Amino acid sequence: MLIDLPSHQLPAHLRWFPAGTAGPTALAEHVLATRVGRLWADHPDHPRAIAAACAGHVLLCGDPGALDPASLAPLADRYVLAPDRFLPALGSAFDRVVPWERMVYVRREKPTSRPQPPRGVTVRRLVATDALALASLDVNSAWIHDSWGGAAGLAGSGHAWGAFHKDHLLAVACTYFLGSRYEDIAVVTLPEHRREQLALSCVLALCADVEARGRTASWTCSRHHRASRLLAWNAGFRLEREYVHYATGGVAAKWLTGTRVAA
């Protein structure tokens, strides 16, 4: 079964995970840097399979033979990035496993334009006192601070830029997964303020910060999210690779505690 390991043990297990790569594979490095997330393994000292999780995303590595389907229960209702050899176990463990085609972009070019925020809008770095404004975003945008453990964590991280009208936050771009070479970034804009180039303004400011830290910005989105892909292109990102992760459902009924399975 998968057992919970304290995050301070992650350095001993980093060899399991990609290092210095663009996109969601920076997740393990993010957990190490921020201590936001979870670490699971089949054995506390000599694991054969291991998983790192943050903000609903999971990197799963190792030998699927070390895990029975019931032991994968902690990975329910998440986005799992794993080698194909894990698919039979995932398919048995959950009531659904949905493949999701994704794209990773890396910033290589200058932006196609330099947007000017509307009158009265200021684009600036978020500070700790912006936590309330960040927490006040609509429920569909709350995911933007999940990888920092909440609004206070992101606001105080120094890794987010926002577009403000007075004290009202209209758009925010942030480092979602902080890696050693790449920072995978994310952005949200309030629906009523889209098409005002606020997202592009925030992204460009954030990218300048990323470069000043000696890293490269990356961008991950669904293959079918045309608006996100266009925004990435306009900000100077170019396609690096494509991949598939898997949206898991609930634990399959036959693995639920107390469920009787016919002989």
Side-chain angles (χ1 to χ4, degrees), residues 62-88:
D63 178 10
L67 303 169
D68 60 65
S71 70
L72 292 170
L75 309 188
D77 298 310
R78 297 176 185 264
Y79 300 110
V80 179
L81 180 56
D84 290 348
R85 60 182 177 271
F86 280 97
L87 290 181

Side-chain angles (χ1 to χ4, degrees), residues 6-90:
S7 59
H8 68 74
Q9 289 191 17
L10 181 55
H13 301 298
L14 273 180
R15 62 181 177 82
W16 289 86
F17 302 105
T21 55
T25 47
L27 182 153
E29 293 179 324
H30 179 84
V31 175
L32 177 62
T34 65
R35 291 298 194 264
V36 177
R38 305 282 293 277
L39 183 66
W40 292 288
D42 66 304
H43 190 278
D45 300 313
H46 305 289
R48 292 171 53 202
I50 193 164
C54 183
H57 292 259
V58 177
L59 298 182
L60 178 60
C61 306
D63 178 10
L67 303 169
D68 60 65
S71 70
L72 292 170
L75 309 188
D77 298 310
R78 297 176 185 264
Y79 300 110
V80 179
L81 180 56
D84 290 348
R85 60 182 177 271
F86 280 97
L87 290 181
L90 292 171

